[in-house]
Amino acid sequence: MLQFDVLIIGSGLAGLSLALKLADQRKVAVITKKSLLESASVWAQGGIAAVLSQEDSLTEHIQDTVTAGAGLCDPAAVRYVIEHAKPAIDWLIAQGVPFTRDADTDTGYHLAREGGHSRRRIIHAADATGYAVQKTLASKVLAHPNITLLEHYIAIDLITGNKLGYTHNQCYGAYALNSLSDEVSTIAAHDTILATGGASKVYLYTTNPDTVTGDGIAMGWRAGCRVSNMEFIQFHPTCLYHPHAKSFLISEAVRGEGGILKLPDGTRFMSAHDERAELAPRDIVARAIDFEMKKHGLDCVYLDISHKSVEFLQAHFPTIYSRCLSLGIDISRQPIPVVPAAHYTCGGIVTDLHGRTDLANLYAVGETAHTGLHGANRLASNSLLECMVFADAAARNILASPQSQFIPLPQWDESQVTDADEEIIISHNWAELRQFMWDYVGIVRTTKRLQRAQHRIRLLHEEINEYYANFHVTADLLELRNLVLTADLIVQSALFRHESRGLHYSKDYPDTRPLAASTILTPTA
Ligand SMILES: Cc1cc2nc3c(=O)[nH]c(=O)nc-3n(C[C@H](O)[C@H](O)[C@H](O)COP(=O)(O)OP(=O)(O)OC[C@H]3O[C@@H](n4cnc5c(N)ncnc54)[C@H](O)[C@@H]3O)c2cc1C
């Protein structure tokens, strides 16, 4: 049995910043299911929102966040995050993150402006902010003597008092599979943190890396924690559609520079959906593309910027130009095949302002948590901020709490299982789940489609649970099990909401109700 003061599951921004804040006073383990730098955090491009300039104000950042959240933001969480944004950025700067500088501003840093923000307030490191932040923090984590990094360890489930048959329920740590050795370790900890990111891989098309499979949400739920607002999935309108280009974003700036969205026969369609046409907000464009794809039975639509010169395209979109060319698409001559893609999970495990969940000694931080910051729609660049502010809050709470005694924990029991005989069941079910989630639980929903999805999810649940009970666990099986559960939570939440609000749009309930309420699901024992 491995034993640490604190077990952090996940090496994204939430996990690494929390580890560094604890490590001077606690023995910390960071486990991560692939390698240290594999996470959505590394892929973040734009930057981090914070009120840094004298020309900006907390009130305006709060207002922008609440407006995006469409009535569902928790005012206390919004205020807490935005008030703690500047110290979070100061901390990153102190760690050595090379944010882009601009001598002509009152902050000395270049601040970008993004959709939904009324001011320039996005601090960034060129167009690869996540990589700059994570690389800096990772080097500190590797150098810290109190942090043990366990790569290729995938957490299977939390160890709780309830599961052990104790009268007192708390989290005692987790079981984790070492996917290189195929051994399951018992990891005991006074405090455990779910920092496992969102669940965007539940959809066929996503901008997220493969690691984003809803593991923390599923583990928290199985351990008895409530989840909230899972129906609010943010879709990015334009992801490259190509069999060899997984998760490649076509920046919204392409539309900003005159890119036109077309059907395969060349017909322009955005002006029929919104008077701002291609320049309409992200959600409206994503919804319009979805509508056209479903109406015409299309695999993708096309974004045409070929009326611009090669020189212009190479100067403004060097990465997009060369990536598309490498796949045989010359964007100066051909339209780009695009689809909307799942980008961000607004809901998650319910937490308080200290990052605490419903289960004692279990915290959830980052995209896996539902803090109340985002409401029904996330304001751009508020998510990295949320990771850091709640990592700091959780660290302070952990350091201020007394540490409990370690108790002996049972080893993982594999006496009743054998090696799987048919791996095809796993790969088939992965593909089936992601396809029907895309078709039935995507951007535009109907009750009938949601019910169809729910029916299929129930069948998959049964099949996966049987498989899980009989065979040795593998990384693919664990992720599929978590994705099916997360899909179920998304569908249940979507069925509960009898209105359209923020990111949830139902054809059967197109209006927004006067009173806004979160969807909170509670696990039954
Ligand atoms: C392409 C892209 C661009 C983005 N741009 C921005 C932006 O500019 N600004 C912004 O604010 N947000 C942006 N976002 C969103 C933001 O990146 C994420 O919300 C944020 O990084 C989430 O951080 P996290 O630490 O919660 O999770 P992640 O960064 O996803 O990290 C989760 C970690 O947990 C590990 N893990 C998962 N399950 C397990 C398990 N069972 N066992 C062990 N380890 C596990 C993963 O391997 C990973 O290391 C972007 C997202 C994407 C995909």
Side-chain angles (χ1 to χ4, degrees):
M1 184 169 85
L2 301 167
Q3 205 163 288
F4 300 92
D5 295 328
V6 181
L7 167 62
I8 298 175
I9 306 173
S11 64
L13 179 56
L16 295 193
S17 46
L18 181 55
L20 289 169
K21 287 181 179 242
L22 290 169
D24 287 345
Q25 294 174 62
R26 294 283 189 274
K27 292 270 182 211
V28 177
V30 175
I31 71 168
T32 188
K33 66 177 167 183
K34 291 200 171 164
S35 59
L36 175 59
L37 284 178
E38 280 179 87
S39 63
S41 299
V42 173
W43 288 22
Q45 300 170 347
I48 310 173
V51 174
L52 302 172
S53 165
Q54 300 294 331
E55 291 162 21
D56 198 358
S57 70
L58 296 175
T59 313
E60 285 166 287
H61 191 184
I62 288 172
Q63 190 51 52
D64 292 343
T65 302
V66 168
T67 303
L72 276 188
C73 296
D74 174 349
V78 174
R79 176 161 289 280
Y80 184 81
V81 172
I82 286 165
E83 284 180 352
H84 288 81
K86 186 171 182 313
I89 301 298
D90 289 343
W91 182 79
L92 284 179
I93 292 171
Q95 303 305 304
V97 176
F99 287 116
T100 301
R101 290 180 176 272
D102 183 347
D104 293 337
T105 64
D106 61 346
T107 60
Y109 289 97
H110 183 264
L111 299 179
R113 186 168 169 185
E114 287 183 344
H117 288 274
S118 53
R119 296 277 177 186
R120 286 187 167 270
R121 63 168 75 100
I122 318 297
I123 191 163
H124 60 103
D127 63 353
T129 308
Y131 181 72
V133 169
Q134 288 297 96
K135 206 162 170 276
T136 306
L137 298 190
S139 67
K140 300 257 170 189
V141 161
L142 290 171
H144 204 296
N146 273 352
I147 302 179
T148 303
L149 173 70
L150 299 172
E151 292 178 302
H152 304 285
Y153 273 68
I154 172 165
I156 303 172
D157 257 325
L158 301 166
I159 304 171
T160 68
N162 266 359
K163 286 184 195 164
L164 298 176
Y166 299 157
T167 43
H168 174 65
N169 197 21
Q170 70 169 73
C171 186
Y172 291 104
Y175 293 112
L177 169 73
N178 177 336
S179 57
L180 299 181
S181 69
D182 278 338
E183 280 162 21
V184 176
S185 300
T186 308
I187 308 179
H190 296 300
D191 294 293
T192 303
I193 291 89
L194 297 170
T196 47
S200 289
K201 268 292 254 192
V202 78
Y203 287 98
L204 182 59
Y205 301 114
T206 172
T207 62
N208 280 231
D210 288 347
T211 51
V212 185
T213 53
D215 296 7
I217 297 170
M219 283 188 280
W221 174 263
R222 284 193 294 264
C225 300
R226 287 169 303 153
V227 301
S228 186
N229 286 358
M230 288 298 292
E231 68 273 40
F232 298 111
I233 305 287
Q234 189 172 62
F235 289 84
H236 194 285
T238 53
C239 187
L240 180 62
Y241 177 72
H242 190 280
H244 301 132
K246 229 165 70 176
S247 312
F248 183 70
L249 268 189
I250 304 295
S251 159
E252 297 190 69
V254 174
R255 282 183 284 119
E257 293 295 342
I260 292 171
L261 282 161
K262 294 178 173 174
L263 298 174
D265 67 1
T267 312
R268 187 178 182 185
F269 59 85
M270 266 316 297
S271 26
H273 293 270
D274 192 284
E275 58 189 14
R276 291 159 290 185
E278 279 77 7
L279 299 180
R282 194 185 259 202
D283 313 336
I284 292 176
V285 178
R287 211 172 288 151
I289 296 175
D290 184 75
F291 175 86
E292 297 293 341
M293 284 174 62
K294 289 215 167 69
K295 181 174 164 196
H296 300 283
L298 304 172
D299 289 332
C300 66
V301 295
Y302 293 86
L303 181 58
D304 195 353
I305 187 89
S306 62
H307 49 278
K308 295 282 185 189
S309 68
V310 178
E311 295 72 33
F312 177 91
L313 295 172
Q314 284 177 334
H316 283 77
F317 306 114
T319 315
I320 294 173
Y321 181 85
S322 57
R323 180 82 171 110
C324 288
L325 202 58
S326 75
L327 294 163
I329 304 163
D330 178 351
I331 68 169
S332 70
R333 300 157 72 96
Q334 297 163 266
I336 311 167
V338 291
V339 284
H343 191 53
Y344 186 80
T345 313
C346 290
I349 301 286
V350 174
T351 55
D352 66 9
L353 290 184
H354 305 288
R356 290 181 300 199
T357 68
D358 292 337
L359 181 63
N361 303 86
L362 178 70
Y363 297 75
V365 181
E367 197 171 330
T368 209
H370 177 266
T371 64
L373 172 67
H374 305 302
N377 195 355
R378 173 190 72 126
L379 181 65
S381 291
N382 264 356
S383 37
L384 293 174
L385 176 63
E386 184 188 39
C387 288
M388 281 188 305
V389 170
F390 281 102
D392 183 68
R396 280 188 285 118
N397 194 268
I398 290 168
L399 293 174
S401 308
Q403 297 199 66
S404 50
Q405 290 293 311
F406 282 116
I407 57 161
L409 299 176
Q411 293 299 305
W412 182 253
D413 181 6
E414 291 203 296
S415 58
Q416 307 295 318
V417 296
T418 58
D419 279 337
D421 49 358
E422 296 209 65
E423 292 291 342
I424 186 70
I425 294 176
I426 302 295
S427 55
H428 173 88
N429 286 346
W430 255 89
E432 186 187 334
L433 175 73
R434 298 180 67 215
Q435 180 74 56
F436 75 65
M437 284 299 287
W438 181 256
D439 290 338
Y440 297 159
V441 196
I443 300 165
V444 176
R445 297 162 179 175
T446 66
T447 303
K448 209 166 169 184
R449 287 204 290 249
L450 290 173
Q451 284 165 344
R452 277 182 208 277
Q454 194 167 45
H455 178 65
R456 282 168 169 75
I457 287 170
R458 294 224 163 109
L459 297 176
L460 283 182
H461 245 313
E462 278 172 30
E463 209 165 295
I464 304 300
N465 284 344
E466 193 190 316
Y467 205 90
Y468 182 78
N470 291 320
F471 298 116
H472 288 295
V473 289
T474 62
D476 281 349
L477 171 62
L478 293 173
E479 289 186 339
L480 177 61
R481 177 174 174 247
N482 293 331
L483 280 177
V484 172
L485 176 50
T486 314
D488 192 20
L489 297 171
I490 294 172
V491 172
Q492 278 190 51
S493 307
L495 280 167
F496 269 123
R497 188 164 291 283
H498 291 179
E499 63 167 351
S500 291
R501 178 185 297 278
L503 297 165
H504 174 75
Y505 184 82
S506 164
K507 272 176 146 179
D508 297 309
Y509 302 101
D511 299 328
T512 304
R513 286 182 150 187
L515 275 184
S518 288
T519 311
I520 300 177
L521 303 180
T522 307
T524 47

